[in-house]
Amino acid sequence: MTLWNGSYPFYPGANAGFPFDTTRAVIVTVFLSMLVTFIIILPGIRGRGRLFWFLRLVLGLFVGAVVLTVQFTRDWETGWVQANTSYKSFSHVQVNADIGLHVGLAGLNVTLRGNPVNQINETINYNEHFPWEFGADYDLSYSEGLEKGLPSPILYVAEKFSTQSPCAVHRQYRIAGHYTSLTLWLAFCTWLISILLFSMSIPLYGGHMLLLTAVLILFSLLFFFTTRNTPKCPIHFGPVSLRTDYGESFWLTLATGLLCLLLGLGIIILNSVQPEKLKLIFNLDKSRGEEGVWDKSRLPAEPSCSAQDVLMVPLGELCQVTATQL
């Protein structure tokens, strides 16, 4: 291998990250389109039920969008460090760069961004993804990075999560990501069922399903939390270390789970304490099917009409009623 302009031409160019996550953009676009569509028909709802209907709509779409989006995000655990480090293998050239680690449910991303971006006649702006989801081979992705000649900081961080690394954290992160993803898919299904029950004017059972959604979301966080209890692998760049902490997706999922928990408990408690207010919130005053469910046990027993009662009516009264009707 010969030198070219003082550096080794291992890698033809930087694999910079796309300006935004396309999967997240598609999900957000779909849910925003649904929100705009329902807002258009909002003026057709009369009375105070319009405000409650809008609040239910916004909260329901928010929960569904979050549960679906965090499946594909890569910021469940993040960390950044600024360091002077060697740029490529077999070279003593050092660069000043920001090195980032972003752990998701399906893999991790390693970011390398120079300070400034243009150094040693190159643009230092890398964002490499190493998957460990089902059907993906992490070690194969790492080997392909070696063949392409990725910068040394990226390969150093990615090697810490390989199966051959003495850190032995690959299995914990991979299994935790799989179980977290599975639990979130179950939470998304229970959210759909709760939306269906609410639309069918059955708020009590919808509240139960919303409470189950909250439990599943919190359990998913518990699965991912187990990776934090494993011994951390040190990632040193000279005198500084790259340390990670929970990212935006983790905290957003936690907030969504607590929101579902409060809403589910609120619906169940309100149904037991003040069912009339719950009917007002869900606009059930004019729902015939729901009135039968709610008021059947509370209405006084109506007098039954049988053949004997009809025969026992005096003939005069019957004629009088008949004359009145005519």
Side-chain angles (χ1 to χ4, degrees):
M1 187 73 68
T2 58
L3 286 171
W4 182 76
N5 290 338
S7 64
Y8 291 90
F10 289 157
Y11 197 53
N15 185 17
F18 201 67
F20 54 87
D21 189 348
T22 55
T23 304
R24 184 186 304 183
V26 171
I27 296 174
V28 172
T29 302
V30 170
F31 278 88
L32 284 180
S33 301
M34 296 173 60
L35 179 61
V36 171
T37 303
F38 286 115
I39 289 178
I40 293 175
I41 67 175
L42 184 62
I45 302 177
R46 300 178 180 178
R48 293 178 297 177
R50 179 185 304 173
L51 176 61
F52 293 122
W53 186 85
F54 180 73
L55 291 177
R56 297 199 311 266
L57 172 65
V58 172
L59 291 176
L61 292 179
F62 172 78
V63 173
V66 170
V67 174
L68 188 60
T69 303
V70 295
Q71 291 273 4
F72 308 99
T73 54
R74 298 171 183 175
D75 56 353
W76 279 75
E77 187 176 347
T78 59
W80 285 92
V81 68
Q82 183 177 359
N84 292 316
T85 179
S86 61
Y87 182 52
K88 292 183 178 179
S89 302
F90 310 107
S91 175
H92 298 290
V93 177
Q94 289 194 343
V95 296
N96 184 271
D98 292 326
I99 306 165
L101 174 61
H102 314 277
V103 180
L105 302 181
L108 60 87
N109 275 53
V110 184
T111 304
L112 180 66
R113 187 180 305 140
N115 288 317
V117 176
N118 295 317
Q119 297 184 49
I120 60 172
N121 297 326
E122 290 191 26
T123 300
I124 304 175
N125 188 14
Y126 295 82
N127 184 19
E128 296 292 330
H129 180 62
F130 300 90
W132 56 47
E133 58 188 353
F134 285 117
D137 191 341
Y138 184 92
D139 291 338
L140 178 61
S141 300
Y142 176 73
S143 300
E144 291 176 351
L146 287 173
E147 294 177 359
K148 290 189 298 184
L150 292 177
S152 296
I154 295 179
L155 295 175
Y156 171 68
V157 175
E159 189 273 336
K160 296 291 185 179
F161 293 86
S162 64
T163 57
Q164 305 299 326
S165 174
C167 296
V169 295
H170 175 83
R171 185 172 181 271
Q172 287 84 350
Y173 273 92
R174 188 168 186 262
I175 294 177
H178 290 168
Y179 279 103
T180 302
S181 178
L182 177 62
T183 311
L184 285 175
W185 279 119
L186 292 176
F188 184 74
C189 294
T190 55
W191 169 79
L192 287 177
I193 297 175
S194 67
I195 294 297
L196 179 62
L197 292 174
F198 287 142
S199 63
M200 296 173 60
S201 300
I202 313 178
L204 180 58
Y205 295 108
H208 288 157
M209 295 306 300
L210 198 59
L211 189 61
L212 179 59
T213 302
V215 172
L216 291 173
I217 293 176
L218 296 178
F219 263 104
S220 68
L221 297 175
L222 181 61
F223 289 138
F224 191 82
F225 174 78
T226 57
T227 60
R228 301 287 298 179
N229 294 331
T230 59
K232 290 300 175 182
C233 189
I235 304 177
H236 297 294
F237 293 94
V240 296
S241 300
L242 175 59
R243 302 181 183 277
T244 59
D245 202 352
Y246 294 122
E248 296 179 0
S249 294
F250 182 89
W251 297 115
L252 183 60
T253 306
L254 177 60
T256 305
L258 294 178
L259 176 63
C260 293
L261 182 64
L262 292 177
L263 291 176
L265 290 176
I267 292 174
I268 295 174
I269 295 175
L270 199 60
N271 176 72
S272 301
V273 178
Q274 293 181 336
E276 294 298 329
K277 289 187 177 181
L278 185 62
K279 290 199 299 181
L280 177 63
I281 293 176
F282 284 89
N283 196 21
L284 300 178
D285 293 335
K286 299 180 181 180
S287 179
R288 292 176 298 177
E290 187 67 12
E291 284 179 353
V293 176
W294 282 82
D295 301 332
K296 184 176 180 180
S297 60
R298 302 177 181 274
L299 291 176
E302 297 181 355
S304 61
C305 180
S306 61
Q308 293 181 357
D309 295 335
V310 174
L311 293 177
M312 293 176 61
V313 176
L315 183 58
E317 296 181 5
L318 181 59
C319 295
Q320 183 180 359
V321 172
T322 304
T324 302
Q325 290 181 354
L326 290 177

